[in-house]
Amino acid sequence: MRTGPEGYTDRFERYADRHPRVVDAVIVLVLMACAVVGSGLTRPGAAPPQRDATVLAVMGASCLALFAHRSRPRTVTVVNAVCIVAVTALEYVLTPLLLAPVMAALYWLTTHTGLRTARFYSLTTAAALMTTSAVFDPTYPSSPVPRSIGYCFWLLLPLAAGSMTRLRRAYVASVRARAEHAERTREEEARLRATEERMRIARELHDVVAHHLALANAQAGTAAHFALTDPQRTKKILTSLTDTTSSALRDLKTTLGLLRHDSIPASGPLEPSPGLAHLPQLVSACAAAGLTVTVTTTGEARPLTSAVDLTAFRIVQEALTNATKHAAADSADVHLTYEDCRLLITITNGAPSGTTGAAAAAPGPGFGIMGMRERALTAGGEFRAGPRPGGGFEVATSLPLRPTATKASSKTADDPAGEA
């Protein structure tokens, strides 16, 4: 909390905003007292003026008019200018005490309307005072320049004070506006981060639960089919089913552990996020569910960032899950192509004989394709999914990669100026 002059000014302005009439009454009373005292002052060696009811009535009217400075600042300034001109015509000495009401009117005029309007009224009032003094004050011709400078100084002083007040209020208003904008921006960013995090968690849970449940369902159905005819194969499938459910529990525990990691620092270490290195386990699980998956790689495999690695694995996982659930085909192909700046992933499943592959292989309604597209776009890549012209369904994505060191160094060697 500020305790200097600015702090007292802030408290006074807050009080004036809450109790404007009380503040106006106190100011008017102080200005009336100044006018009464000023009407009794005279020049050295001259007799003091006789205070009659006229000058007191004129100065009282000028002070009472100040009550309307908030609603009619121009009218208040004109009334005070006329009153001070009348006092000058009555041959009273224009001291700062007598000028206090018109100075207050000019100050409020500056704060309410602006510097240009207040400058016009101030210069007009100064010209009127100089003209009146030249006509009614016999001592004015002896020192016109100092007297004129004095009038201008005292009438331009409230303009400077009013301008400073306007600038200060504008600065405070801008600071408050920036603070409110920053607060709104923080709230919007917090909501956006919460929404993005919620969507990320939803995608992870969908990938984990949907994939493992689909494989478990397919494996259970295959085991039931071969239960009587091929007990050994049934046993092998049931073993794979146990591995699938165990993997589902581990992935679900890892995902939920990520949610609790910030609030429970003492929790155990979390498993690393899955990536393309887990493709063999995924292929084995799909094979146990009756889907034969062939993985081919073109180009030199390179290490991927954790985000791209996870995105690539989840897209392959979801595409194979859809093929297991919705496609009538019993095989799928995963093709990985490593280029200089991107990784191309294509997952296709063919249509079995006697079917129109698009109808047989297209995924049903759900969030699988939407989740894959969101993952690819979040990683800065592209995504496409749809029926193949020759039958079946195809999912293709392009994910960004860092350029290889060989390519980058050869480019620098071919173009040395590019380094500068």
Side-chain angles (χ1 to χ4, degrees):
M1 183 176 180
R2 292 181 295 182
T3 58
E6 292 184 358
Y8 292 116
T9 302
D10 292 339
R11 286 197 292 269
F12 175 78
E13 289 185 352
R14 288 195 296 268
Y15 182 83
D17 292 337
R18 293 193 301 267
H19 309 284
R21 295 299 179 185
V22 175
V23 174
D24 290 348
V26 172
I27 293 176
V28 168
L29 289 175
V30 172
L31 292 176
M32 290 183 68
C34 293
V36 171
V37 174
S39 63
L41 298 178
T42 185
R43 297 181 184 85
Q50 298 295 326
R51 295 178 182 171
D52 53 10
T54 303
V55 68
L56 296 179
V58 170
M59 296 308 299
S62 67
C63 293
L64 292 176
L66 294 174
F67 279 109
H69 74 88
R70 301 178 189 275
S71 57
R72 295 181 177 86
R74 293 177 178 84
T75 304
V76 171
T77 304
V78 171
V79 170
N80 275 268
V82 171
C83 291
I84 198 64
V85 169
V87 171
T88 305
L90 294 175
E91 299 182 1
Y92 281 83
V93 179
L94 291 183
T95 62
L97 293 176
L98 278 179
L99 291 173
V102 72
M103 291 171 63
L106 289 172
Y107 169 81
W108 282 320
L109 180 68
T110 306
T111 58
H112 293 322
T113 62
L115 183 60
R116 179 177 299 179
T117 302
R119 187 185 297 117
F120 170 77
Y121 280 83
S122 179
L123 294 177
T124 304
T125 303
L129 289 178
M130 287 185 286
T131 303
T132 306
S133 297
V135 174
F136 294 97
D137 189 354
T139 63
Y140 182 81
S142 61
S143 57
V145 175
R147 300 277 290 279
S148 300
I149 293 176
Y151 294 157
C152 293
F153 172 79
W154 291 112
L155 294 179
L156 293 177
L157 183 62
L159 272 66
S163 298
M164 293 178 61
T165 301
R166 282 176 59 87
L167 291 175
R168 182 177 177 278
R169 291 176 180 175
Y171 172 75
V172 172
S174 65
V175 170
R176 291 176 180 173
R178 286 197 298 268
E180 294 175 358
H181 176 71
E183 185 66 25
R184 289 194 302 267
T185 303
R186 281 195 297 270
E187 293 176 357
E188 292 174 359
E189 290 179 352
R191 286 194 296 268
L192 181 60
R193 286 195 298 268
T195 302
E196 292 176 349
E197 185 67 13
R198 187 165 60 248
M199 293 299 297
R200 187 187 69 82
I201 295 170
R203 286 195 299 266
E204 288 293 330
L205 289 177
H206 174 271
D207 291 343
V208 171
V209 175
H211 167 70
H212 290 296
L213 286 182
L215 287 181
N217 181 66
Q219 290 169 347
T222 305
H225 178 72
F226 291 105
L228 298 178
T229 60
D230 195 344
Q232 293 296 329
R233 185 174 182 180
T234 301
K235 182 178 179 181
K236 183 179 179 181
I237 294 174
L238 290 178
T239 302
S240 299
L241 177 60
T242 303
D243 295 338
T244 300
T245 55
S246 299
S247 178
L249 291 175
R250 286 195 304 271
D251 289 348
L252 187 61
K253 181 179 179 181
T254 300
T255 304
L256 296 178
L258 292 174
L259 300 178
R260 298 172 176 169
H261 186 62
D262 291 339
S263 57
I264 307 179
S267 59
L270 301 176
E271 294 185 1
S273 300
L276 293 181
H278 293 74
L279 276 183
Q281 294 90 324
L282 180 61
V283 171
S284 300
C286 291
L291 181 67
T292 302
V293 181
T294 303
V295 180
T296 58
T297 302
T298 303
E300 183 182 356
R302 304 203 310 270
L304 307 177
T305 62
S306 58
V308 173
D309 200 16
L310 175 62
T311 299
F313 178 80
R314 290 303 189 195
I315 289 177
V316 174
Q317 182 188 58
E318 181 62 26
L320 295 179
T321 300
N322 289 337
T324 303
K325 292 191 298 183
H326 306 294
D330 56 359
S331 64
D333 295 323
V334 178
H335 189 72
L336 307 177
T337 303
Y338 288 88
E339 296 184 352
D340 181 40
C341 296
R342 59 180 178 168
L343 168 64
L344 303 179
I345 303 175
T346 305
I347 306 100
T348 58
N349 59 280
S353 60
T355 63
T356 59
F367 298 98
I369 291 181
M370 182 176 68
M372 288 188 287
R373 179 176 288 106
E374 289 177 352
R375 283 186 178 276
L377 296 179
T378 301
E382 300 175 354
F383 179 83
R384 177 179 56 83
R388 298 173 62 194
F393 200 81
E394 180 179 85
V395 173
T397 183
S398 172
L399 301 177
L401 294 179
R402 297 172 181 171
T404 59
T406 304
K407 293 286 185 179
S409 60
S410 63
K411 182 178 180 182
T412 304
D414 294 340
D415 186 11
E419 188 173 342

